[in-house]
């Protein structure tokens, strides 16, 4: 391959992209407002959860338990009767209903077994799981204080457990969502731009012009990869600096230069994947329908939305073939934990190997398509 041909064809791709206002707007929107909206709107922590109390005890302890449930995790506690509480759960007006039975405080002070009932609307999974843990902690603390204990526990433990959360001490979902949304958008736009560039050439008839020029299929494909990939890499780095660090105030612990190097390797594979999909589709609508399940699968199962370790073992092995899985692991190590090249170089090597494999398959398909068109 001649580098001069690749460079000139890449410049042509950049000019074609700049002349398309829809794609320019899509890139700007995806790496600005879309990052902010997802990071600040899709929160996983408990916030303003609705809590109702059925208080049959009417004791000082029951009032103390009600007063201990406070914002911002929970909304103001509403007292209901048992039938009203069931109706509130059915209607979705309450996520948690705490039933305090009659004689609860008296049984507790006399050393008898005392029971509390906490009904949870588990359709709201995030609030149900995290909120239940918060409420159990609150109840245990208040009961311990009422019983004259000061350790916040209802039983004796042989250890003193101290929990420290590293890299995200406040457990803020904004820190996680912001960076992972940038990574997901890199995958989405890389596939779309590279594939759309090839289909646009075919629909506009300019691919025939390239066929009569002294350029090879590999040069045409490499030009599309570096041109579209460079736009996405630059946009993602600027988004990390301006939107993630600047607007959302999310700290980046690692080297942006190392991230950029990994993003370049990742672009090599996902832009080639976009060209591979474009050789299968016959039109832009077909390409769009083909891209949707590919991107959704890569983003949801790459570890950016849910931990890879929580998936079935066979699915983990399958996703090891996806470049998105390794790029997510690389980005989390560098941007979250501040890992250096000595830690992430095996991931980069795997990413490069997968990229060359996808490039070879896409190039074979691309050559076959060019022969058919010729």
């Amino acid at each position: 391959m001649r580098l001069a041909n690749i460079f000139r064809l890449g410049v042509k791709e950049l000019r074609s992209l700049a002349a398309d206002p829809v794609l320019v707007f899509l890139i700007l929107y995806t790496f600005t407002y879309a990052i902010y909206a997802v990071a600040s709107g899709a929160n996983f922590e408990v916030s303003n959860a609705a809590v109702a109390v059925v208080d049959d005890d009417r004791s000082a302890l029951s009032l103390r338990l009600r007063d201990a449930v406070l914002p911002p995790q929970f909304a103001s506690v509403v007292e209901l009767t048992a039938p009203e509480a069931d109706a509130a759960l059915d209607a979705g007006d309450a996520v948690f209903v705490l039933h305090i039975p009659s004689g609860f405080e008296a049984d507790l002070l006399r050393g008898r077994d005392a029971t509390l009932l906490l009904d949870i609307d588990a359709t709201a999974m995030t609030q149900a799981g995290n909120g239940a843990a918060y409420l159990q902690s609150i109840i245990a603390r208040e009961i311990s204080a009422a019983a004259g204990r000061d350790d916040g526990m209802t039983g004796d433990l042989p250890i003193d457990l101290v929990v420290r959360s590293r890299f995200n001490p406040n457990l803020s979902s904004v820190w996680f969502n912001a960076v992972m949304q940038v990574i997901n958008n890199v995958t989405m736009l890389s596939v779309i731009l590279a594939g759309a560039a090839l289909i646009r050439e075919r629909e506009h008839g300019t691919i025939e012009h390239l066929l009569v020029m002294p350029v090879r299929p590999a040069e045409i494909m490499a030009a599309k990869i570096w041109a579209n990939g460079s736009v996405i890499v630059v946009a993602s780095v600027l988004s990390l600096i301006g939107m993630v660090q600047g607007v959302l105030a999310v700290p980046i612990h690692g080297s942006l230069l190392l991230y950029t190097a990994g993003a370049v390797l990742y672009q090599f594979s996902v832009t080639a994947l976009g060209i591979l999909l474009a050789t299968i589709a016959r039109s832009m609508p077909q390409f769009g329908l083909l891209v949707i399940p590919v991107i959704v699968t890569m983003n949801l199962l790459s570890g950016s939305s849910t931990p890879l370790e929580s998936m079935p073992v066979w699915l983990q092995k399958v996703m090891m073939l996806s470049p998105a899985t390794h790029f997510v692991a690389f980005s989390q190590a560098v941007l979250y934990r501040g890992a250096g090249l000595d830690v992430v170089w095996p991931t980069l090597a795997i990413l490069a190997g997968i990229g060359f494999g996808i490039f070879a398959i896409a190039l074979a398909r691309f050559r076959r398509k060019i022969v058919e068109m010729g």
Side-chain angles (χ1 to χ4, degrees):
M1 293 190 296
R2 290 187 294 177
L3 295 180
N5 288 342
I6 296 175
F7 175 76
R8 294 189 182 98
L9 290 172
V11 172
K12 178 190 74 69
E13 290 292 332
L14 293 176
R15 289 176 177 174
S16 176
L17 177 60
D20 193 329
V22 175
L23 286 180
V24 172
F25 173 77
L26 177 63
I27 295 172
L28 293 176
Y29 168 80
T30 302
F31 286 106
T32 53
Y33 179 74
I35 302 295
Y36 175 83
V38 173
S40 60
N43 294 329
F44 294 106
E45 56 261 18
V46 179
S47 178
N48 203 38
V51 180
V53 172
V54 178
D55 189 359
D56 294 331
D57 191 35
R58 298 292 177 178
S59 62
L61 179 56
S62 65
L63 293 176
R64 182 170 183 165
L65 291 176
R66 290 166 49 185
D67 294 339
V69 181
L70 299 172
Q73 286 83 11
F74 303 99
S76 299
V77 175
V78 178
E79 184 176 353
L80 301 175
T81 63
E84 291 173 341
D86 292 338
L89 281 174
D90 293 339
D93 295 331
V95 179
F96 304 96
V97 175
L98 179 62
H99 295 259
I100 305 176
S102 177
F104 172 73
E105 183 182 38
D107 290 339
L108 183 68
L109 295 178
R110 292 173 183 172
R112 299 175 182 173
D113 291 336
T115 302
L116 288 175
L117 176 62
L118 180 62
D119 289 331
I120 303 173
D121 179 5
T123 57
M125 292 189 299
T126 300
Q127 287 191 335
N130 297 337
Y134 286 143
L135 285 175
Q136 290 177 25
S137 177
I138 292 171
I139 292 171
R141 184 182 67 244
E142 296 303 321
I143 290 177
S144 297
R149 297 170 55 90
D150 58 2
D151 55 5
M153 303 297 296
T154 57
D156 294 326
L157 289 178
I159 61 172
D160 182 15
L161 179 64
V162 178
V163 178
R164 293 188 177 94
S165 301
R166 299 187 62 186
F167 314 117
N168 189 357
N170 294 326
L171 302 180
S172 173
S173 60
V174 174
W175 289 23
F176 176 81
N177 291 340
V179 176
M180 286 300 99
Q181 188 62 24
V182 172
I183 304 307
N184 288 340
N185 290 349
V186 165
T187 302
M188 177 184 69
L189 280 186
S190 299
V191 174
I192 291 176
L193 289 185
L198 177 58
I199 293 182
R200 186 168 56 242
E201 297 266 20
R202 188 189 308 160
E203 291 181 344
H204 293 174
T206 54
I207 191 71
E208 285 82 1
H209 298 168
L210 294 176
L211 294 179
V212 299
M213 296 175 63
V215 293
R216 301 175 180 178
E219 295 171 352
I220 299 174
M221 186 171 163
K224 294 183 182 299
I225 288 176
W226 86 254
N228 293 284
S230 62
V231 171
I232 301 303
V233 170
V234 171
S236 67
V237 172
L238 293 178
S239 181
L240 287 172
I241 297 173
M243 184 58 59
V244 176
Q245 286 186 303
V247 177
L248 295 171
V250 178
I252 300 298
H253 297 286
S255 169
L256 285 177
L257 183 61
L258 180 58
Y259 164 80
T260 303
V264 170
L265 273 180
Y266 183 57
Q267 289 302 305
F268 181 66
S269 58
V270 285
T271 50
L273 177 61
I275 294 175
L276 175 61
L277 296 177
T279 60
I280 299 174
R282 297 182 178 180
S283 62
M284 193 67 79
Q286 284 188 2
F287 175 71
L289 292 175
L290 186 60
V291 161
I292 290 174
V294 173
I295 292 179
V296 169
T297 302
M298 291 177 65
N299 285 347
L300 290 181
L301 301 181
S302 64
S304 62
S305 299
T306 57
L308 193 68
E309 295 78 10
S310 64
M311 303 177 191
V313 176
W314 68 267
L315 186 56
Q316 295 182 37
K317 294 180 179 179
V318 171
M319 291 310 299
M320 286 295 107
L321 301 176
S322 170
T325 303
H326 301 282
F327 184 59
V328 167
F330 163 82
S331 301
Q332 290 178 346
V334 173
L335 300 179
Y336 287 149
R337 299 187 287 273
L341 182 61
D342 58 325
V343 175
V344 299
W345 72 264
T347 304
L348 293 178
I350 296 173
L351 200 58
I354 294 176
F356 279 109
I358 297 177
F359 181 85
I361 297 173
L363 181 58
R365 286 280 309 176
F366 186 54
R367 283 174 173 164
R368 186 183 307 171
K369 280 292 180 180
I370 286 181
V371 171
E372 292 176 358
M373 295 179 64

